[in-house]
Amino acid sequence: MKFYFSTRDIPALKGLPLTERVKLLDQASKRLSVPEKTLLNVLKLLVIVPVFAFILQTASNWTSLLWAFVVFLIYPLVIKPIQYSICAKYIAQPSSKENA
């Protein structure tokens, strides 16, 4: 599986405006199989739960709030490329007639 760090990198979405890319990606995410959706949701939980654990520790250690912020910033760097890569196979390739 190839990882895509941006929607512009997905071959089927090259040259499309952002709104079209988002729309097609949303349609593709609706076609994900149950194991794929489960995998994405578990990965999201693995990133989000530590954020709340760090926030709960702020009463005794204020620097944990900074760690919570750092972990929260990691979310799009980890989850989005995986989501784009899984959804890429459900995006229809443009036909040659549409390009002509």
Side-chain angles (χ1 to χ4, degrees):
M1 172 174 40
K2 185 174 179 184
F3 283 99
Y4 300 104
F5 292 97
S6 171
T7 56
R8 283 179 261 153
D9 299 333
I10 300 173
L13 300 179
K14 279 195 187 286
L16 294 175
L18 178 62
T19 54
E20 282 294 315
R21 291 193 311 253
V22 170
K23 184 175 122 181
L24 290 172
L25 194 65
D26 183 49
Q27 290 172 355
S29 67
K30 290 178 183 176
R31 288 185 270 178
L32 292 176
S33 67
V34 173
E36 291 168 334
K37 286 181 185 179
T38 304
L39 173 68
L40 279 175
N41 287 333
V42 168
L43 289 174
K44 289 175 186 178
L45 278 174
L46 289 175
V47 173
I48 291 173
V49 168
V51 170
F52 289 108
F54 283 128
I55 290 172
L56 288 174
Q57 292 179 356
T58 56
S60 62
N61 183 7
W62 69 272
T63 57
S64 63
L65 194 59
L66 296 174
W67 283 109
F69 183 69
V70 168
V71 172
F72 186 71
L73 289 178
I74 290 173
Y75 178 83
L77 296 174
V78 173
I79 301 300
K80 288 299 179 181
I82 295 171
Q83 180 183 1
Y84 295 156
S85 301
I86 292 174
C87 289
K89 63 183 176 184
Y90 294 104
I91 298 173
Q93 293 285 343
S95 66
S96 59
K97 290 180 183 178
E98 292 175 5
N99 294 335

